[in-house]
Amino acid sequence: MTPLEFILWCKISITILFWAGPLLLAPGGLLEKLGFPKLAPYVFFRLLGVTFAALVVAYAYGLGPAAAGKPAEATVAIGLVSNGGSCLVLLLYGLRGAWASWGWFARCYMWCSVAATGLITAGLAIWDH
């Protein structure tokens, strides 16, 4: 397995398990019990889940070239923008205390999201070929 292929598999797994899946499927009451603030209406929350699912498709398209040791420029570019941008936004909000009043699980989830998006961005930047 090439380094880029490994990074893409990690990104696909993380995106499905921690972002797309919960945003699309988690009942609102469960999210509130886990310490996230109440969101109403949930339509924008669910739309974000669809967007994450679409990113999974983009990452999956990069697996073939990555496995063959070839560049996956479009997939890497999408990953750099989506993860780098997400990391920056999450980090800025986190440092400003945006989720300081949330439950412990929700705070941990958000800081882990900062770390995951930052590490994926770094990995894509280093092993983009």
Side-chain angles (χ1 to χ4, degrees), residues 82-96:
S82 68
N83 290 283
S86 294
C87 183
L88 181 61
V89 168
L90 288 167
L91 184 60
L92 291 174
Y93 272 82
L95 292 174
R96 291 182 179 157

Side-chain angles (χ1 to χ4, degrees), residues 41-128:
Y42 278 97
V43 65
F44 294 109
F45 194 73
R46 304 301 182 199
L47 284 171
L48 182 58
V50 172
T51 302
F52 278 118
L55 284 171
V56 168
V57 174
Y59 298 128
Y61 270 102
L63 286 172
K70 296 180 180 177
E73 292 100 350
T75 300
V76 170
I78 290 166
L80 289 171
V81 172
S82 68
N83 290 283
S86 294
C87 183
L88 181 61
V89 168
L90 288 167
L91 184 60
L92 291 174
Y93 272 82
L95 292 174
R96 291 182 179 157
W99 52 75
S101 64
W102 296 7
W104 71 268
F105 178 86
R107 289 191 315 271
C108 180
Y109 184 93
M110 297 304 288
W111 284 113
C112 286
S113 292
V114 172
T117 55
L119 289 170
I120 291 165
T121 302
L124 289 171
I126 293 167
W127 289 291
D128 68 349

